[in-house]
């Protein structure tokens, strides 16, 4: 009976350890806002769709074209150009595509293996001998969980962008142009 009790504790510990190793496959649901300066908003969005909400509740969806001191220029999904005044901005979010956890895991395994091979041919050879099998084991254990994460990731995620050191802007309007 005592043997059964010990093995159930080991099993529980193994499940918890496995969950901790694969947690990055399911990460990202409670992300904190990105904090950046106003002039870096386009660089932060890096071609991802922005959702701009104004004080009046108007929502503009599109891609950042440029930012100047008083406004942000957005190319909307229907290819119009919209300028939103900085003072009219209530909320700024970045649309993130569905999770691609398996691809992310593949990149992590590739980096780990690359580093392990580099270490093999250096004074850190012992580290490479440990890193290569550990990376392969991590990839093998995490793969099914990442596949499940990808299969059940049904919605795109939004991440808020918080502008730091917001200086008072000059005007308060939204301008459309064709």
């Amino acid at each position: 009976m005592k043997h059964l009790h010990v093995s159930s504790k080991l099993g529980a510990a193994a499940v918890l350890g496995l969950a901790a190793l694969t947690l990055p496959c399911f990460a990202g649901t409670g992300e904190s806002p990105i904090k950046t300066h106003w002039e870096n908003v386009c660089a932060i969005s890096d071609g991802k769709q922005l959702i701009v909400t104004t004080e009046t509740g108007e929502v503009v969806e599109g891609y950042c074209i440029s930012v100047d001191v008083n406004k942000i220029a957005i190319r909307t999904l229907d290819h119009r150009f919209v300028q939103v005044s900085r003072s009219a901005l209530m909320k700024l979010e970045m649309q993130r595509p569905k999770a691609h956890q398996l691809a992310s895991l593949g990149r992590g395994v590739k980096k780990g293996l690359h580093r392990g091979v580099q270490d093999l041919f250096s004074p850190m050879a012992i580290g490479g001998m440990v890193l290569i099998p550990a990376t392969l084991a991590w990839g093998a254990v995490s793969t099914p969980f990442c596949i499940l994460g990808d299969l059940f990731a049904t919605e795109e995620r939004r991440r808020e962008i918080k502008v730091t050191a917001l200086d008072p802007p000059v005007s308060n309007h939204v301008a459309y142009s064709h």
Side-chain angles (χ1 to χ4, degrees):
M1 189 72 169
K2 193 170 199 169
H3 183 287
L4 180 62
H5 183 67
V6 170
S7 65
S8 66
K9 283 185 179 180
L10 288 174
V15 169
L16 289 175
L18 183 63
L21 284 173
T22 59
L23 187 61
C25 291
F26 299 103
T29 55
E31 295 172 311
S32 61
I34 299 170
K35 294 180 181 172
T36 187
H37 292 285
W38 176 252
E39 63 271 6
N40 296 330
V41 169
C42 282
I44 292 294
S45 67
D46 191 31
K48 295 177 185 73
Q49 184 180 333
L50 290 178
I51 298 98
V52 178
T53 307
T54 66
E55 288 179 334
T56 62
E58 185 177 357
V59 177
V60 179
E61 296 183 34
Y63 300 91
C64 186
I65 300 299
S66 67
V67 173
D68 69 16
V69 175
N70 297 317
K71 62 187 176 290
I72 183 170
I74 305 284
R75 181 179 46 86
T76 63
L77 302 177
D78 59 356
H79 303 291
R80 293 181 301 144
F81 290 95
V82 178
Q83 295 182 352
V84 180
S85 169
R86 191 170 164 184
S87 64
L89 185 70
M90 186 175 87
K91 190 173 190 178
L92 182 61
E93 296 175 297
M94 180 174 59
Q95 187 83 4
R96 299 186 61 207
K98 287 185 195 178
H100 298 287
Q101 303 299 340
L102 189 59
S104 179
L105 176 65
R107 286 188 298 272
V109 168
K110 180 180 176 182
K111 287 178 186 176
L113 291 174
H114 180 70
R115 175 66 192 262
V117 169
Q118 283 181 330
D119 286 353
L120 277 178
F121 302 105
S122 74
M124 296 292 297
I126 211 80
M129 290 178 5
V130 171
L131 185 60
I132 291 172
T135 301
L136 291 173
W138 168 57
V141 168
S142 298
T143 296
F145 296 97
C146 289
I147 290 171
L148 288 173
D150 284 347
L151 287 174
F152 294 110
T154 57
E155 62 187 48
E156 295 182 338
R157 300 174 291 161
R158 291 184 179 183
R159 187 164 181 193
E160 188 172 2
I161 298 175
K162 291 274 190 191
V163 178
T164 58
L166 187 63
D167 298 327
V170 176
S171 64
N172 186 11
H173 69 283
V174 177
Y176 291 93
S177 60
H178 298 279

